Amino acid sequence: MFPHLKSERVNLQLLQESACRELVQQIDAIHGSKVIVLDEAMIGPVDLVTKPNLFRERSIDLLPLKPEMRFPKELNNIVYIVRPQVALMDQLVAHVKTNSQHGRQFHILFVPRRSCQCIKHLENKEVMGAFGRLEELPWNFLPLDADVVSMEMLHAYRDVSIDGDTTALYQAAIGLVQLQRLYGRIPKIYGMGVQAQLVWHHAKQLAIDEMSLYNGDKGAIDQLILLDRGIDLLSPLATQLTYEGLIDEFYGIRQNQLTLPAEHFPSYNAVNSSSAAATAARAAEESERLLSDRGQCKTLMLHSGEELYAELRNKNFNEVRMLLARKAKEIQEQMNLNFKQQSMKEIYSFVRRIPQILEQKRATSDHTSIAGLIDEQLKSDAFNDDLAAEQEFMVCADIDKSSAYIEDLIARRSELRNVLRLICLQCAAASGFKEHVLYHYKRKLAHVYGLEMLLTISNLEKAGLLHVQTESRAYAVLRKTLHLTVDDSVEVNPKDISYVHSFYAPLTARLVEHWLQPRGWQTLKSQINNLPGPTFEDFQVPLIGIRGRHGGGGTPSETSLLHARRVVLVLFVGGCTFAEIAALRFLAAQEDNNVQFVIATTKIINKHTFLESVMGS
């Protein structure tokens, strides 16, 4: 169903098929005519595990959840697929009161777990009698690509660090156990940070509670690295300069889908391609039209299933420009073939390749349009001034005093989100502000943006993004010892992961890079002590292994895996960026490392979404 998820060792199609099976079982257990109502946060996840024709074959319509809804009288079942949030229950209560009729039942499928609090709320509103099934779809990790899974929990970091709600950590632990059921026991575990340690503590306890599932099989995944977002708060605030990262920051990638006004794509109505990528895009557009009120838009599927995007996504944008120009030239040369000098066999071969050439032309045209939009953004003075300021902070230039650039932005009442991002980035680079500098920024912000800013600042402080300086200067030390900034970084055909930010290497990716070395993190003991939270390691001995189906559906033999690349699952607790993913893919592409990464995260974030989540409403 989703061929781009398939890989030799850890086949994430198994995860997708498992999630799809769970959904089908729940739907088919509800007899009679039905409609499915999706909470906005569930529209994307449903697209990740199933195709629209699954619902069409069952004559089921999909509708977006709205506060006021009227359903046709002939419908016997209203099925809600929602997150377990009490606020959403009030909308369901309103629907029950306005749409109840004899023979009609309402059902709720909670993702990823049933909520006693939500059910109690329905009982208090005296509508429980109208509900039939109250079940759960245990979708903890959803597959985004052949090497990426996500919990799609945008507010995980905020929930834990600000609200003290550790649900996301428990769900991550359940997700780890589920992955081991599918792919087998992970023998070696390493981690950094308080939240990462809590996730592993829960996962280990859940594993002990499921002894009936265990046998001695080693799974397809060799090692697990858990990284707490709190150990590196600078990287998610930095501007990403990879193609995929820039698309996400400027336009937003939502569950592999990019939606932009169709007017930006001259080939939108010109090419009626029948390729798999185009078919998937049309299905996504159809789903988008049904579930949103947007106007004429084009939706592109962005994953490794599209050959050109797979080649471009992890590149620095300066290299993307060159690659697109080269692709366009190659296509033009193929289309301008001189048939007078060709044999019939060569002409026949060309004719057979026409669909492939047209598909390449469509993809190149689409990505040239996207790159053109990004290029306009990159040429703006505001973007370049912000980038220059953050790069100065990254090299620890004048970070112990208030920034004249930031003060100027505040005086001009610039976008608050960007002002706070730069302040937090400076704070991370300085390992905290001196008390008078932090007070100065607070006073300026409150004076210009209003006293309500103090609540936002309080959230940033709870999240560890704003704080007073201590004796430890962790970033300054790590910048030098781990070479986090590289002055002569190469953006085209790079030799180092620093290309993802044009001269800054994400700390998390650099830590993984050092972990790949023979002695691992032992060589960094003194530097790691500067990071917040503990460093830990653990082992799951064969007696407590979890039986798994593995990547190919069977147990790999020791002989076949003797020279195989080791598979490492890297779990980011609190979110990760596309730049960090690109850096890990770059490391995996180096033959000397002999490693394949599977990247798991609570959510793929960028500098905007991460800060907005922490700032709150």
Side-chain angles (χ1 to χ4, degrees), residues 222-241:
D222 300 298
Q223 288 149 335
L224 166 66
I225 301 176
L226 299 104
L227 297 172
D228 183 344
R229 182 74 273 167
I231 68 172
D232 176 19
L233 291 173
L234 191 149
S235 295
L237 297 172
T239 299
Q240 304 174 68
L241 293 172

Side-chain angles (χ1 to χ4, degrees), residues 567-587:
V567 177
V568 179
L569 174 63
V570 181
L571 170 57
F572 289 86
V573 183
C576 73
T577 66
F578 279 118
E580 289 172 309
I581 292 173
L584 293 182
R585 285 173 174 159
F586 177 86
L587 292 175

Side-chain angles (χ1 to χ4, degrees), residues 241 315-323 378 491-492 502:
L241 293 172
K315 306 289 187 185
N316 185 283
F317 189 72
N318 285 331
E319 186 172 3
V320 168
R321 291 186 179 102
M322 298 167 57
L323 287 171
L378 297 187
E491 296 172 340
V492 179
S502 278

Side-chain angles (χ1 to χ4, degrees), residues 470-543:
T470 61
E471 292 182 4
S472 171
R473 302 299 295 269
Y475 176 78
V477 173
L478 291 169
R479 183 179 79 87
K480 292 180 179 178
T481 55
L482 297 183
H483 305 290
L484 297 182
T485 56
V486 180
D487 293 333
D488 55 350
S489 179
V490 179
E491 296 172 340
V492 179
N493 297 321
K495 306 297 181 186
D496 182 76
I497 60 173
S498 57
Y499 83 92
V500 299
H501 291 284
S502 278
F503 97 126
Y504 166 74
L507 172 59
T508 48
R510 193 65 98 194
L511 287 171
V512 173
E513 183 179 25
H514 276 265
W515 176 85
L516 293 173
Q517 296 173 5
R519 293 186 60 201
W521 287 336
Q522 292 180 12
T523 58
L524 299 175
K525 272 193 174 179
S526 60
Q527 293 92 332
I528 284 175
N529 289 336
N530 290 312
L531 293 171
T535 300
F536 60 94
E537 63 179 82
D538 202 353
F539 300 91
Q540 294 192 101
V541 295
L543 292 177

Side-chain angles (χ1 to χ4, degrees), residues 96-113:
V96 169
K97 291 182 177 179
T98 56
N99 291 278
S100 288
Q101 64 182 42
H102 180 70
R104 171 174 287 174
Q105 274 199 318
F106 296 80
H107 312 269
I108 304 177
L109 302 180
F110 291 103
V111 181
R113 60 181 178 82

Side-chain angles (χ1 to χ4, degrees), residues 106-340:
F106 296 80
H107 312 269
I108 304 177
L109 302 180
F110 291 103
V111 181
R113 60 181 178 82
R114 274 168 53 112
S115 166
C116 294
Q117 194 176 6
C118 288
I119 293 171
K120 186 66 177 176
H121 189 75
L122 296 175
E123 290 175 351
N124 292 339
K125 296 292 183 177
E126 300 179 347
V127 295
M128 276 297 290
F131 286 91
R133 298 177 69 85
L134 297 173
E135 303 293 341
E136 66 183 25
L137 294 171
W139 298 348
N140 291 291
F141 284 113
L142 294 162
L144 295 178
D145 217 319
D147 59 348
V148 181
V149 295
S150 170
M151 295 176 67
E152 294 302 290
M153 296 184 71
L154 176 59
H155 302 296
Y157 186 79
R158 174 199 167 90
D159 289 346
V160 178
S161 61
I162 297 176
D163 300 331
D165 180 0
T166 59
T167 302
L169 305 184
Y170 187 70
Q171 290 302 139
I174 293 175
L176 284 177
V177 172
Q178 287 182 335
L179 288 177
Q180 289 181 93
R181 285 201 202 108
L182 282 172
Y183 304 108
R185 171 180 57 87
I186 304 174
K188 297 179 183 178
I189 294 87
Y190 306 86
M192 281 188 186
V194 174
Q195 294 183 19
Q197 191 174 45
L198 282 171
V199 168
W200 179 243
H201 172 76
H202 289 317
K204 195 173 182 180
Q205 188 58 49
L206 287 167
I208 292 171
D209 293 342
E210 296 193 14
M211 286 296 290
S212 60
L213 293 173
Y214 291 5
N215 63 20
D217 293 345
K218 172 192 167 297
I221 301 170
D222 300 298
Q223 288 149 335
L224 166 66
I225 301 176
L226 299 104
L227 297 172
D228 183 344
R229 182 74 273 167
I231 68 172
D232 176 19
L233 291 173
L234 191 149
S235 295
L237 297 172
T239 299
Q240 304 174 68
L241 293 172
T242 60
Y243 183 52
E244 192 166 40
L246 285 168
I247 294 174
D248 190 39
E249 291 192 353
F250 287 132
Y251 306 109
I253 298 174
R254 181 175 174 177
Q255 286 89 31
N256 291 343
Q257 294 182 20
L258 170 66
T259 302
L260 289 170
E263 64 193 41
H264 295 306
F265 300 90
S267 63
Y268 182 59
N269 294 314
V271 179
N272 183 22
S273 175
S274 61
S275 69
T279 303
R282 285 197 295 272
E285 286 169 20
E286 179 184 349
S287 176
E288 191 77 20
R289 281 195 295 272
L290 289 171
L291 296 169
S292 74
D293 299 321
R294 296 179 185 178
Q296 185 72 358
C297 290
K298 178 177 172 106
T299 297
L300 292 95
M301 300 304 297
L302 300 182
H303 52 60
S304 58
E306 191 198 325
E307 185 179 345
L308 179 58
Y309 184 70
E311 182 181 352
L312 297 176
R313 63 182 178 181
N314 301 316
K315 306 289 187 185
N316 185 283
F317 189 72
N318 285 331
E319 186 172 3
V320 168
R321 291 186 179 102
M322 298 167 57
L323 287 171
L324 285 173
R326 190 180 72 201
K327 289 285 182 184
K329 185 178 179 181
E330 289 173 356
I331 291 170
Q332 187 177 25
E333 288 174 352
Q334 291 182 76
M335 299 296 285
N336 294 336
L337 192 67
N338 188 347
F339 293 105
K340 291 182 180 179

